[in-house]
Amino acid sequence: MYGITRQGRSTLRAWLREMLTTVGTDFPDFPAAVSMLVLLTPAETKASFEIRAKAVGTALEELEVDKQAAGDLPRLFLLEDAYRTALL
């Protein structure tokens, strides 16, 4: 019979916290981590999402600063930023 070790459980929980708090290449890690929220305590989950929300807010602010700095560029040249904003 196989079972998860203490180290394996610790590694899994660390991975979950990292995937829930890190903003970046979200797919497929973030949805996979969300599907395993039951493995974290409600407090850990809340703290992870609060960290993520702050990181998303910061990333959106940075994109807005970049957009303002770009001035009156045609929208074509800002599509990547618009896409990133939509994803965030």
Side-chain angles (χ1 to χ4, degrees):
M1 178 191 282
Y2 295 95
I4 190 166
T5 63
R6 186 171 300 171
Q7 182 180 3
R9 187 176 309 281
S10 176
T11 300
L12 172 62
R13 293 168 62 84
W15 175 84
L16 279 173
R17 286 190 295 273
E18 181 179 344
M19 290 305 104
L20 293 172
T21 60
T22 303
V23 175
T25 55
D26 293 333
F27 190 81
D29 293 334
F30 181 68
V34 169
S35 74
M36 296 183 202
L37 286 178
V38 70
L39 299 173
L40 298 177
T41 66
E44 289 173 312
T45 300
K46 181 179 184 238
S48 294
F49 281 131
E50 286 171 346
I51 292 167
R52 184 180 187 82
K54 190 172 189 174
V56 167
T58 299
L60 288 171
E61 288 171 6
E62 290 171 359
L63 284 170
E64 184 60 31
V65 167
D66 290 345
K67 181 180 173 184
Q68 296 301 321
D72 292 331
L73 284 176
R75 187 164 186 264
L76 172 66
F77 297 109
L78 301 172
L79 287 177
E80 289 177 42
D81 287 345
Y83 176 72
R84 180 78 179 131
T85 298
L87 287 178
L88 287 169

